[in-house]
Amino acid sequence: MNKQVAEMNYLYNASVVEKEFSTERLLQCLKEDHMYPIEGMIKQYERYEHMIKESESIEEVFFILSGCIIASRGKMRIPYFYGSQDIIGLENLTMESQSSYSFEVISDKVKVMKYKKEDVIKKLLNTQEGYLYHYVYMQDRFTQIVRREQLLRLNAEERVMLALIILSERYGERIVSSTIFRFPKSINKGWLARYTNLNPNTITIVLQKLHQENILSRNQKGFYVDISILKAKIAHMF
């Protein structure tokens, strides 16, 4: 009995659930064909191409393998980003649900693995603890929304610094054995201004100041962010 309790406590430990039911594990689960096999296909989209338009029926689920996408709604100035390891189309598990956002490619290319939404839902229903994949996904999306709302309450300089941290850690490339990230190339100053709801000139001024403080550096491959120093400057946010 004690062993069973220990196993249950382990299974439903938050960190264990996040790891065992992550996006990577979900994609792996969908690819497995020993129980309720389903077919997916890899597709590539070009810059400015819309994967889904606002109010369109969501009939497919997209797993982003590479590239960057912007999600916007109506005249909403402040967008959301989606990149590698993110999923589009899984928020609502009901059939024929409509998209609340328009999803547009902002990198040179985006590569996705896509499945019919109906197949994904049936696969989850036929998989033990399958609902936890959706739970972990929704928890992650909620966390991203909350962090953005926290960001928008900060002053301009802190807002830019937190945005650099969030976007670098999630979509950037970490330099081995360091706290330095290469900022995602497809997110330029214009997109950063929209994400932080600031004027592009303000973004330029803050970036220049961070560069003078040796927090940012630049070369031909892009610009680099020292996350540890940024976190120390806005320690009250962590």
Side-chain angles (χ1 to χ4, degrees):
M1 182 65 179
N2 289 335
K3 182 180 179 181
Q4 290 179 331
V5 171
E7 289 176 348
M8 290 295 290
N9 287 336
Y10 173 81
L11 176 61
Y12 291 104
N13 177 276
S15 60
V16 173
V17 168
E18 289 177 5
K19 180 179 179 181
E20 295 298 319
F21 297 90
S22 64
T23 300
E24 297 93 331
R25 290 292 183 91
L26 173 54
L27 184 55
Q28 181 182 340
C29 171
L30 296 179
K31 290 179 179 179
E32 294 173 353
D33 59 6
H34 63 272
M35 182 180 66
Y36 198 83
I38 63 175
E39 291 187 7
M41 66 173 291
I42 291 179
K43 183 171 181 179
Q44 186 166 281
Y45 294 86
E46 305 294 325
R47 185 191 292 269
Y48 307 126
E49 191 171 354
H50 282 83
M51 295 171 57
I52 304 176
K53 292 185 178 180
E54 185 178 352
S55 299
E56 279 188 349
S57 177
I58 301 176
E59 299 177 352
E60 295 173 309
V61 175
F62 303 84
F63 291 78
I64 304 172
L65 304 178
S66 63
C68 192
I69 295 162
I70 197 81
S72 58
R73 178 168 57 193
K75 297 181 179 180
M76 179 183 71
R77 171 179 169 78
I78 308 172
Y80 288 95
F81 294 107
Y82 285 73
S84 179
Q85 306 302 325
D86 283 335
I87 306 173
I88 294 174
L90 199 59
E91 285 87 348
N92 192 329
L93 290 184
T94 59
M95 298 304 300
E96 299 182 359
S97 59
Q98 293 183 326
S99 176
S100 300
Y101 297 90
S102 181
F103 295 89
E104 180 185 353
V105 175
I106 63 170
S107 53
D108 290 337
K109 299 179 186 298
V110 161
K111 185 178 177 182
V112 303
M113 172 69 82
K114 66 176 186 174
Y115 294 88
K116 291 182 179 179
K117 183 177 180 181
E118 180 181 5
D119 289 342
V120 173
I121 294 173
K122 289 180 179 179
K123 181 82 171 186
L124 293 180
L125 293 177
N126 283 278
T127 300
Q128 185 176 9
E129 310 293 357
Y131 70 94
L132 286 174
Y133 287 112
H134 185 252
Y135 169 79
V136 170
Y137 167 75
M138 292 304 295
Q139 283 290 102
D140 178 67
R141 292 313 309 168
F142 178 74
T143 298
Q144 298 309 310
I145 292 171
V146 169
R147 293 189 78 182
R148 244 282 291 282
E149 291 303 314
Q150 291 173 336
L151 178 149
L152 294 174
R153 297 191 185 103
L154 301 175
N155 63 47
E157 186 172 339
E158 291 181 333
R159 203 180 295 186
V160 174
M161 288 192 288
L162 183 56
L164 291 174
I165 293 171
I166 292 173
L167 298 175
S168 293
E169 289 187 328
R170 191 168 182 91
Y171 304 121
E173 179 184 345
R174 185 170 189 167
I175 305 304
V176 178
S177 301
S178 76
T179 58
I180 297 176
F181 286 75
R182 184 168 69 181
F183 194 75
K185 186 177 181 180
S186 54
I187 303 178
N188 57 32
K189 284 192 288 187
W191 287 122
L192 190 58
R194 288 186 59 183
Y195 183 77
T196 55
N197 199 25
L198 293 171
N199 186 289
N201 291 332
T202 302
I203 297 293
T204 299
I205 292 170
V206 174
L207 293 181
Q208 288 176 343
K209 180 180 179 182
L210 294 175
H211 186 269
Q212 292 170 355
E213 296 175 5
N214 294 319
I215 297 173
L216 301 184
S217 60
R218 183 181 295 276
N219 62 24
Q220 293 179 340
K221 294 183 178 180
F223 80 87
Y224 297 78
V225 184
D226 193 322
I227 296 299
S228 63
I229 300 178
L230 281 181
K231 286 185 175 181
K233 289 177 71 69
I234 52 172
H236 60 284
M237 293 299 300
F238 296 92

